[in-house]
Amino acid sequence: FAIEKYNVKRKQFGTVQESDINYFKSILSEERVLTDENDVLPFNIDWIKNCRGQSKVVLKPRNTEEVSKIIKYCNDKHLAVCPQGGNTGLVGGSVPVFDEVVLCLGLLNKIISLDEISGVLICEAGCILESLDTYVRERNLIMPLDLGAKGTCQIGGNASTNAGGLRLLRYGNLHGSILGIEAVKADGTVIDCLTTMKKDNTGYHLKHLFIGSEGTLGIVTKVSINCPVLPKAVTVGFFGVKDFQSVLKLYESAKLSLGEILSAFEMADFNAINSSVTNLNLPNPIDEYPFYVLVETHGSDEGHDAEKLNRFLDKEMESGLIIDGTVTSEPAKMQTIWNLRESIAGSSLTRGYVFKYDVSIPLGNYYDLVPMLRKKLGNKALDVYGYGHIGDSNIHINIVVPEYTKEIGSQIEPYVFEEVSKLNGSISAEHGVGFRKPQYIHYSKIESALDLMRELKTLMDPKGILNPYKVLPEK
Ligand code: FAD
Ligand code: MLT
Ligand code: ZN
């Protein structure tokens, strides 16, 4: 696979020595210190195979105390650390760039408590999102976020990236849902802000520093999170639409018609859905259309909700906004539709190299970049498609090319980010900045804000050992 060559120089960190390995083995056990090249390799490669690091050691702590000891030691010895959750991140933030020590959080996987009355779950950072969702569903609650990577991503990774996902329009982002955080600072100090209160105005809201800071300000070890009630009725509609203007009109109409039960409004163009259908052999329950819309409702009355969505379908088929569509409350059929949408992310990985963009753009211009990129790249691209979370103005654009070349890379970047900036969008909507985007962050953040970010970084991690080369651009 392609290994991108960025112009980044290794900073003057220490190099892991035999004595360091012995220390790590003394606080963890032998089998939780990986040094064999084959064992370490998967931790060096990101999910989308855009980035590859050269770490020689992976550490697998089992609790906060062990994390604290490791981080304190690394800070004292000036060893750089790359925290890694489920390694499903899409901006190269979760893998080392050079020989950083990989801190794997997967064994911090205990559920600590669930208050079934308030819905507050407390758990360790390494818990897999889907496992948490299964656990709380058995108790009539759901996790407030859902994403295609749920089977692998961890709640600590979700917190550290402020992951958005498929139902953000209904349940909000993690700055709201996460009530408290326990984190380990770069010097090993444990910051226990694991409050479970929705209301807690006791000074600065420190949890927000860790939410979305992608492992550069501290290691998240526990979270408390507010879980909404399990909806009694779930309905999914999948609609074929003739053009993007109709998608927008449909969104406006869905908000009016479905009101408080609307839980997702997703769109994908023909090429995006076709990528799941042809590359992964997934069934499409309706015919082929230029655009597709997936609408989901979460409510409390099955008959009532399905009727509402069916009425919406009838009305908009009559108006011509929907050409064809299906509405279902059957779990297997809903799953088929969601699979089609959630699989787009990985559907082209076997075809070549995928340039992936996660941006937000005001809705009027939401889809503009896709035709612009198709025109600009012509037959150099095997495919260009757009899909995403309309409700959050967040579009994902995938550009599939036979293989990575610098030449094609320079045709796409910084062009994409320039255009997003001209349209007053954000160059990273929900995936973060990671290793892929620090040099472009200025398209969405002014210099004075970047300076304050640098000051915070220096305050919290004076030696810069936590996830170096990520998020912050070099000055
Ligand atoms: P990792 O990938 O391991 O790490 C992500 C970042 O967080 C890295 O910078 C890492 O250093 C840091 N980190 C991880 N754990 C910790 C910790 N405990 N403490 C401190 N830092 C930590 N994202 C969305 O927002 N919305 C989506 O809809 C969405 N869908 C996806 C679908 C697929 C198929 C895939 C592969 C990815 C998707 N993503 C999505 C991106 C990704 O899943 C999220 O960013 C997720 O939150 C990452 O979690 P993770 O545990 O895999 O973290
Ligand atoms: C999604 O919405 O499917 C994810 O954010 C992943 C992607 O960008 O493909
Ligand atoms: Zn997304």
Side-chain angles (χ1 to χ4, degrees):
F1 60 85
I3 302 165
E4 289 203 356
K5 304 269 189 304
Y6 283 92
N7 199 11
V8 182
K9 262 176 76 184
R10 186 183 182 281
K11 293 188 176 171
Q12 303 243 298
F13 294 112
T15 308
V16 176
Q17 307 290 319
E18 196 58 41
S19 55
D20 302 321
I21 300 289
N22 289 338
Y23 174 78
F24 296 138
K25 285 183 178 165
S26 77
I27 55 166
L28 309 174
S29 50
E30 186 116 347
E31 70 275 9
R32 288 191 286 124
V33 179
L34 310 184
T35 51
D36 180 277
E37 208 177 307
N38 292 327
D39 295 340
V40 174
L41 185 65
F43 296 85
N44 272 317
I45 302 173
D46 71 338
W47 188 86
I48 190 175
K49 297 188 172 26
N50 278 4
C51 299
R52 181 175 184 161
Q54 298 149 37
S55 181
K56 302 274 184 291
V57 58
V58 177
L59 304 179
K60 296 179 142 189
R62 254 199 307 234
N63 53 47
T64 305
E65 205 189 342
E66 289 179 354
V67 172
S68 164
K69 279 186 184 159
I70 292 167
I71 296 295
K72 182 179 177 345
Y73 180 86
C74 289
N75 194 48
D76 291 346
K77 296 273 175 174
H78 207 216
L79 294 172
V81 177
C82 174
Q84 189 174 101
N87 197 12
T88 65
L90 296 170
V91 285
S94 53
V95 289
V97 177
F98 296 99
D99 56 346
E100 298 89 280
V101 170
V102 175
L103 184 73
C104 161
L105 278 309
L107 296 181
L108 275 82
N109 57 5
K110 284 185 274 310
I111 291 174
I112 297 164
S113 66
L114 175 66
D115 182 331
E116 291 184 34
I117 299 173
S118 66
V120 179
L121 170 77
I122 305 184
C123 66
E124 290 183 326
C127 291
I128 305 275
L129 178 61
E130 192 168 45
S131 314
L132 292 176
D133 197 55
T134 304
Y135 179 85
V136 299
R137 268 174 195 271
E138 284 160 6
R139 291 151 182 91
N140 288 319
L141 298 162
I142 54 169
M143 291 303 282
L145 79 162
D146 186 14
L147 44 148
K150 62 186 141 251
T152 315
C153 67
Q154 301 171 5
I155 196 69
N158 300 148
S160 303
T161 54
N162 185 27
L166 306 162
R167 296 198 183 85
L168 187 139
L169 111 166
R170 172 68 174 272
Y171 298 109
N173 74 27
L174 290 176
H175 284 283
S177 307
I178 292 186
L179 303 176
I181 275 198
E182 178 193 82
V184 174
K185 266 176 62 199
D187 65 0
T189 313
V190 178
I191 306 288
D192 182 349
C193 287
L194 208 54
T195 168
T196 57
M197 295 293 112
K198 274 192 192 160
K199 288 192 168 181
D200 176 21
N201 278 350
T202 50
Y204 306 147
H205 288 230
L206 297 175
K207 67 176 183 185
H208 295 304
L209 288 174
F210 301 105
I211 300 171
S213 56
E214 303 178 58
T216 60
L217 298 181
I219 310 296
V220 175
T221 45
K222 293 190 186 101
V223 302
S224 66
I225 188 160
N226 192 40
C227 300
V229 290
L230 175 73
K232 285 208 193 96
V234 181
T235 311
V236 169
F238 192 57
F239 309 131
V241 174
K242 71 170 185 303
D243 54 25
F244 182 67
Q245 279 315 311
S246 304
V247 174
L248 283 188
K249 285 190 194 143
L250 211 53
Y251 175 49
E252 209 182 349
S253 161
K255 282 197 288 182
L256 287 172
S257 305
L258 303 168
E260 75 294 344
I261 62 170
L262 182 65
S263 56
F265 191 102
E266 299 277 311
M267 85 97 205
D269 64 17
F270 168 77
N271 292 39
I273 291 295
N274 191 45
S275 180
S276 286
V277 171
T278 49
N279 299 322
L280 303 174
N281 239 333
L282 295 181
N284 178 354
I286 60 175
D287 224 326
E288 296 188 344
Y289 296 100
F291 288 87
Y292 295 91
V293 163
L294 189 165
V295 177
E296 184 197 64
T297 64
H298 274 185
S300 55
D301 184 327
E302 199 174 310
H304 177 254
D305 293 358
E307 193 190 309
K308 255 185 152 175
L309 194 53
N310 272 311
R311 241 188 288 136
F312 171 73
L313 171 62
D314 291 344
K315 178 175 154 232
E316 297 307 356
M317 277 188 81
E318 209 168 294
S319 76
L321 284 184
I322 296 176
I323 313 175
D324 182 17
T326 174
V327 166
T328 179
S329 295
E330 272 181 52
K333 287 190 178 156
M334 292 195 291
Q335 196 53 54
T336 300
I337 294 170
W338 270 121
N339 272 348
L340 202 51
R341 161 64 186 89
E342 290 178 36
S343 303
I344 299 170
S347 60
S348 285
L349 292 184
T350 51
R351 291 176 73 196
Y353 182 92
V354 183
F355 286 93
K356 205 168 213 323
Y357 298 96
D358 156 50
V359 297
S360 43
I361 299 178
L363 285 179
N365 300 102
Y366 179 91
Y367 193 70
D368 288 6
L369 264 171
V370 177
M372 280 159 75
L373 281 161
R374 282 185 184 145
K375 193 162 167 230
K376 187 171 168 62
L377 299 173
N379 60 11
K380 282 185 201 136
L382 295 174
D383 210 348
V384 178
Y385 47 86
Y387 57 103
H389 319 288
I390 283 271
D392 318 320
S393 297
N394 176 191
I395 184 163
H396 300 301
I397 302 172
N398 288 3
I399 302 169
V400 190
V401 294
E403 59 176 350
Y404 173 82
T405 63
K406 272 210 154 151
E407 192 223 327
I408 189 127
S410 63
Q411 264 195 281
I412 303 171
E413 296 179 20
Y415 172 78
V416 167
F417 304 118
E418 277 167 6
E419 294 303 320
V420 168
S421 175
K422 279 190 216 158
L423 295 169
N424 298 316
S426 167
I427 64 135
S428 174
E430 60 172 2
H431 295 163
V433 178
F435 180 60
R436 297 293 316 269
K437 296 185 181 173
Q439 68 275 42
Y440 303 119
I441 196 172
H442 64 275
Y443 285 106
S444 292
K445 273 244 156 35
I446 54 168
E447 198 51 40
S448 55
L450 287 173
D451 281 342
L452 183 56
M453 282 170 61
R454 288 190 187 98
E455 281 165 32
L456 276 170
K457 171 75 175 170
T458 307
L459 180 75
M460 294 181 69
D461 178 18
K463 294 185 180 176
I465 62 155
L466 295 179
N467 227 2
Y469 323 105
K470 317 283 171 64
V471 182
L472 287 160
E474 288 304 316
K475 214 169 170 160

